[in-house]
Amino acid sequence: MIDNALFTDFYELTMAQGYWKNNMNHQVVFDMFFRKNPFNGGFSVLAGNETLMDVITNFHFEEDDIKYLAEQKIFEQGFLDYLKDFHFTGDLYTMDEGTVIFPQEPLVRIHANLIEAQILEGLILNHVNFQSLIATKTARIWLASKKAPIMEFGLRRAQGPDGAMSATRAAYIGGAAGTSNTLAGKEYGIPVMGTMAHAWIMSHSSELEAFREYAKIYPQNSVFLIDTYDTLKSGIKNAIIVGGELVEKGYNFGVRLDSGDIDYLTREVRKELDRAGFPQAKISVSNELTEEIISTLVARGAPINSWGVGTHMVTGGDESSFTGVYKLAARNDKETGKMVPAMKFSDNPAKTTNPGIKNVYRLYDSNGMACADVLALENEVIEAGKEYRFHHPMVDYRQFTCTASKVEPLLKLKLKDGKRVSTRLPEAEQLRLSRSNMQKQLETFDESYKRILNPHIYKVSLSEELKDLKKDFIEKNINR
């Protein structure tokens, strides 16, 4: 885990020096949010904010970092002296890791002086964007499999060592049952899993010998890879021979397919296993699987018990980034000494931000199902049992009324004056909590929002007061 303060974009430091030089280190509020769900999906999953807080609480410049910056011949000595004692002293609000999230919602809210808030930008986006992308991808895969066991084994295809570790962590939050990444197993307490490689089989004089030797060493964990030579003519037949020997000794066994027509082959393999009297033998598959492929196989009733997913899970597949951004939402006014809203304008309405210090409220109906999320200003209170009118964030005439049976505020204070407000859980315990949070939350959303293809769009709306504030900002900008 990198907690060195040089892990930021260089222009953050040049801007920070400008703020320092011009005595502009006033209090500000920044929001980190994202603009669209990846994979044309109906939801996303928040991940990475727990590791982000670990890094922020240790964020500092080493002596040789200051020396390096001095060598760039762009920073004044006074600013470098300021950086020597730099650490985050502000407050951080965020949702619980594993929360189901939607576009435009503040996921992380920073209250700090301008220099601190600016230097943290790259760090916040790096941690939350990548892990949320992978957690979302994994959740889609897990749902596509009808919540069957998913093994993540993307280490060899991930974007470098840290990419592999972060991806494994996020994939577990998103629903993966285990990983092939042994170091991640040790560091994060994630179950480690694995069977055998084609090389094991090819290293023996025969496939039958390879299976027997493996079963001799690992009788309790024998899953035979049956497609090294010929799945139906030799692989499954040799697996049944050795599997039968294991069953006689009181053990069970399984088989794995890593190539070919998975739909056809798994059906034929299932028939062979059942004919041989081994209906309890499990079938696992891998080979460049995506949620679309898995969903199709499940819909067709392919007899698959578990799935191994690597490349598309840990890289994001066709969508390689999460659209998270970090924008100023409020600042201290020099003349009044009060916090005033700030707003970014754009010719593209989707890039016009929502001003002010905000929270996010999730509204539930009488059946306990989530029906809408509402962005409201900090001083507003959204209560259960009261009727409210809420507004589309970009289209003035779109609005709806709602009386929620339950209202849940999602942003919570996690860091106060740069320190955690509660004790950091051990990583393994935190990951189990984050994973459980994701699974429980998905149960509160209608299936239409979780469809792999053409999901229903979940309502994310503005409160009346926030809508009026945003409209006022826009009208004043137009009339300039």
Side-chain angles (χ1 to χ4, degrees):
M1 183 172 64
I2 300 172
D3 57 11
N4 186 295
L6 288 186
F7 192 65
T8 189
D9 292 307
F10 189 67
Y11 77 90
E12 309 286 12
L13 295 171
T14 57
M15 284 191 294
Q17 177 171 250
Y19 297 144
W20 172 83
K21 192 173 178 65
N22 291 330
N23 196 28
M24 290 179 63
N25 204 16
H26 48 274
Q27 292 295 303
V28 294
V29 176
F30 274 81
D31 288 339
M32 187 264 164
F33 60 95
F34 69 111
R35 292 192 168 118
K36 73 179 187 71
N37 287 315
F39 319 116
N40 295 313
F43 69 93
S44 295
V45 176
L46 176 62
N49 50 326
E50 283 292 336
T51 57
L52 168 67
M53 289 186 284
D54 290 340
V55 172
I56 287 178
T57 54
N58 292 294
F59 201 59
H60 65 285
F61 292 90
E62 299 283 358
E63 188 176 330
D64 61 341
D65 300 331
I66 302 297
K67 181 182 177 183
Y68 169 78
L69 292 176
E71 291 169 353
Q72 306 312 302
K73 308 297 184 185
I74 195 173
F75 298 109
E76 296 183 13
Q77 187 58 49
F79 178 64
L80 295 175
D81 291 339
Y82 166 82
L83 293 182
K84 288 178 182 177
D85 297 321
F86 179 89
H87 61 282
F88 182 66
T89 62
D91 301 341
L92 181 149
Y93 293 76
T94 185
M95 300 178 185
D96 291 333
E97 192 170 45
T99 295
V100 175
I101 53 176
F102 300 93
Q104 303 302 321
E105 300 178 346
L107 312 178
V108 179
R109 199 177 82 202
I110 295 289
H111 295 238
N113 63 56
L114 183 54
I115 293 177
E116 290 179 20
Q118 192 76 70
I119 288 177
L120 289 181
E121 178 175 5
L123 187 72
I124 291 169
L125 295 174
N126 178 269
H127 277 261
V128 177
N129 276 338
F130 180 66
Q131 290 198 47
S132 296
L133 178 78
I134 305 307
T136 303
K137 184 71 170 179
T138 308
R140 287 169 56 81
I141 291 169
W142 181 64
L143 290 174
S145 75
K146 300 297 183 185
K147 303 178 183 177
I150 306 290
M151 183 177 81
E152 176 273 309
F153 56 71
L155 180 148
R156 62 192 62 186
R157 299 287 176 84
Q159 285 94 337
D162 183 67
M165 293 293 286
S166 296
T168 296
R169 184 185 188 280
Y172 187 68
I173 292 171
T179 180
S180 66
N181 185 338
T182 312
L183 180 59
K186 173 179 178 288
E187 294 293 322
Y188 303 144
I190 298 172
V192 288
M193 301 174 173
T195 57
M196 62 177 67
H198 293 293
W200 171 269
I201 297 162
M202 297 164 68
S203 298
H204 290 78
S205 60
S206 71
E207 188 176 53
L208 183 60
E209 179 193 8
F211 289 173
R212 276 198 171 119
E213 288 301 314
Y214 196 88
K216 188 186 301 180
I217 302 169
Y218 307 109
Q220 294 177 311
N221 299 286
S222 287
V223 178
F224 304 116
L225 183 60
I226 60 176
D227 67 334
T228 303
Y229 301 120
D230 190 301
T231 300
L232 299 180
K233 289 182 180 179
S234 68
I236 185 57
K237 296 185 185 306
N238 287 323
I240 286 172
I241 291 170
V242 180
E245 295 167 356
L246 282 171
V247 170
E248 287 179 1
K249 297 174 183 177
Y251 301 105
N252 201 0
F253 72 100
V255 299
R256 179 164 74 93
L257 277 161
D258 190 45
S259 62
D261 185 333
I262 290 176
D263 190 7
Y264 167 73
L265 289 173
T266 54
R267 293 177 193 277
E268 293 302 308
V269 166
R270 184 73 269 163
K271 290 176 188 175
E272 293 279 353
L273 290 168
D274 291 349
R275 259 196 302 265
F278 303 123
Q280 77 280 12
K282 300 290 197 295
I283 300 174
S284 179
V285 301
S286 50
N287 187 29
E288 297 295 320
L289 296 171
T290 66
E291 60 265 50
E292 292 84 6
I293 293 171
I294 292 172
S295 181
T296 299
L297 289 168
V298 169
R300 287 181 53 79
I304 298 166
N305 302 106
S306 61
W307 310 79
V309 188
T311 304
H312 294 282
M313 182 182 290
V314 303
T315 65
D318 293 336
E319 193 150 350
S320 58
S321 64
F322 197 73
T323 57
V325 294
Y326 185 73
K327 301 298 180 184
L328 184 67
R331 60 178 177 80
N332 185 270
D333 183 69
K334 187 165 55 175
E335 294 180 3
T336 65
K338 296 180 180 180
M339 295 297 290
V340 296
M343 179 174 168
K344 176 188 178 296
F345 294 88
S346 174
D347 291 334
N348 180 350
K351 290 194 172 185
T352 298
T353 63
N354 295 305
I357 305 173
K358 301 171 291 295
N359 204 337
V360 184
Y361 294 89
R362 182 152 295 163
L363 311 183
Y364 297 87
D365 64 20
S366 58
N367 295 315
M369 300 297 286
C371 52
D373 284 8
V374 174
L375 276 62
L377 293 171
E378 186 184 38
N379 61 342
E380 295 185 82
V381 178
I382 308 296
E383 296 178 302
K386 292 181 64 174
E387 184 178 87
Y388 295 92
R389 178 181 286 109
F390 301 119
H391 301 264
H392 192 284
M394 289 175 284
V395 183
D396 282 346
Y397 60 84
R398 295 283 297 274
Q399 54 188 260
F400 76 104
T401 57
C402 178
T403 303
S405 295
K406 175 186 171 184
V407 177
E408 179 186 12
L410 298 183
L411 282 174
K412 302 170 184 177
L413 179 64
K414 302 281 188 170
L415 298 183
K416 177 68 176 174
D417 300 327
K419 297 180 175 61
R420 283 186 179 265
V421 297
S422 58
T423 303
R424 169 67 154 103
L425 295 174
E427 181 65 353
E429 187 177 342
Q430 178 60 57
L431 275 179
R432 286 194 295 271
L433 182 63
S434 299
R435 187 172 187 265
S436 175
N437 184 38
M438 181 279 301
Q439 293 174 339
K440 289 176 181 176
Q441 286 210 6
L442 280 177
E443 291 296 318
T444 68
F445 287 88
D446 186 78
E447 293 300 320
S448 62
Y449 302 120
K450 298 181 283 189
R451 288 194 298 252
I452 299 301
L453 296 176
N454 301 317
H456 193 59
I457 298 173
Y458 182 74
K459 287 186 177 68
V460 177
S461 303
L462 308 183
S463 69
E464 190 97 32
E465 191 171 333
L466 178 54
K467 183 268 296 183
D468 290 343
L469 176 64
K470 186 174 184 178
K471 184 178 179 182
D472 185 56
F473 260 84
I474 292 172
E475 289 176 351
K476 286 180 179 177
N477 184 66
I478 291 173
N479 295 327
R480 281 181 180 174

